[in-house]
Every structure is written in structure tokens, then in C-alpha cells.
């Protein structure tokens, strides 16, 4: 059985923390889905073994997404995308647990 434990509306995306009780190793999943299509299942970006870590990732993602949008990026699937730049895999950014400054440096390096 799956249930939603946390929801954060962030610009044009919904960031959800879902709990899947059948997955004993990492039952909490950070998902994104378009606010324009709330019936989709979205994309899983990270899996965690506890709710607090998943909620922290969801909130961090919202902040990073806002920073990326300001720099011309948009969400495409599981990546942040901008013309003439390499895609940034959101799951990697979350796994690295970057600070805001580190993420901004990553955005700036991509734009060179």
C-alpha cells in the first residue's frame, strides 16, 4: 500500500514524499509530478529509509528548482535542462546533498 506523507507545491511541479510499505529497505520515495497533470504517477528521484530524510530532500529540491528556473533551466523528466548546457540529473544532486552555494556553482559551471 502506498500513501502520501508530504506534499510541497513548488512553482509548476508537485514534490511528494510517498511511503511504500512493501519496500522495507527504502520505503520513502521523493517524487515529482507536473501540477498541470496531477493524475500522473510522476518520477521517482530518490528513495530513503526514513521520512525525515525524504522530506528534507523534497524541501531541498524545491529550493534548487527555484534557483535553476531563475538560471533558465526547466524540469524535463528527471533532469534539469537548459539549451546549450548539459542536463543535470536531479537524483544525483539530491544524493550529493549539496548546499545552495554548491548547487549554484554547478549551475554556473554548466552554463560556461
Amino acid at each position: 500500500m502506498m500513501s502520501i506523507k508530504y506534499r510541497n507545491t513548488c512553482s509548476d511541479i508537485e514534490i511528494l514524499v510517498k511511503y511504500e510499505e512493501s519496500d522495507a529497505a527504502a520505503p520513502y520515495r521523493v517524487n515529482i509530478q507536473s501540477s498541470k497533470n496531477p493524475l500522473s504517477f510522476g518520477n521517482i528521484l530518490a528513495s530513503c529509509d526514513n521520512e525525515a530524510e525524504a522530506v528534507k530532500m523534497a524541501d531541498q529540491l524545491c529550493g534548487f528548482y527555484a534557483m535553476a528556473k531563475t538560471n533558465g533551466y526547466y524540469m524535463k523528466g528527471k533532469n534539469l535542462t537548459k539549451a546549450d548546457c548539459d542536463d543535470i540529473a536531479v537524483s544525483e544532486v539530491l544524493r550529493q546533498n549539496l548546499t545552495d552555494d554548491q548547487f549554484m556553482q554547478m549551475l554556473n559551471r554548466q552554463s560556461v
Side-chain angles (χ1 to χ4, degrees):
M1 169 127 182
M2 184 192 52
S3 60
I4 295 174
K5 296 293 186 178
Y6 181 77
R7 177 185 311 260
N8 187 346
T9 302
C10 185
S11 186
D12 56 347
I13 61 171
E14 288 275 337
I15 304 170
L16 306 170
V17 172
K18 297 180 180 180
Y19 176 74
E20 179 64 56
E21 67 183 51
S22 65
D23 185 351
Y28 294 94
R29 299 185 180 147
V30 179
N31 285 52
I32 59 163
Q33 64 188 40
S34 171
S35 297
K36 297 171 184 140
N37 187 10
L39 298 178
S40 74
F41 291 109
N43 292 310
I44 298 172
L45 299 176
S47 296
C48 306
D49 61 0
N50 69 72
E51 186 175 352
E53 182 182 354
V55 168
K56 178 184 172 199
M57 281 184 174
D59 288 340
Q60 184 180 47
L61 174 56
C62 186
F64 286 171
Y65 183 60
M67 291 166 52
K69 280 187 70 165
T70 300
N71 282 279
Y73 285 83
Y74 64 94
M75 187 70 74
K76 181 177 180 184
K78 297 180 179 186
N79 297 312
L80 292 168
T81 302
K82 180 179 177 181
D84 300 324
C85 295
D86 293 335
D87 286 356
I88 298 173
V90 175
S91 58
E92 278 298 305
V93 170
L94 293 175
R95 186 187 60 74
Q96 293 176 36
N97 194 26
L98 301 175
T99 65
D100 288 353
D101 288 340
Q102 289 170 325
F103 182 68
M104 186 58 78
Q105 288 174 2
M106 177 183 279
L107 293 175
N108 291 333
R109 277 195 309 269
Q110 296 293 323
S111 298
V112 174

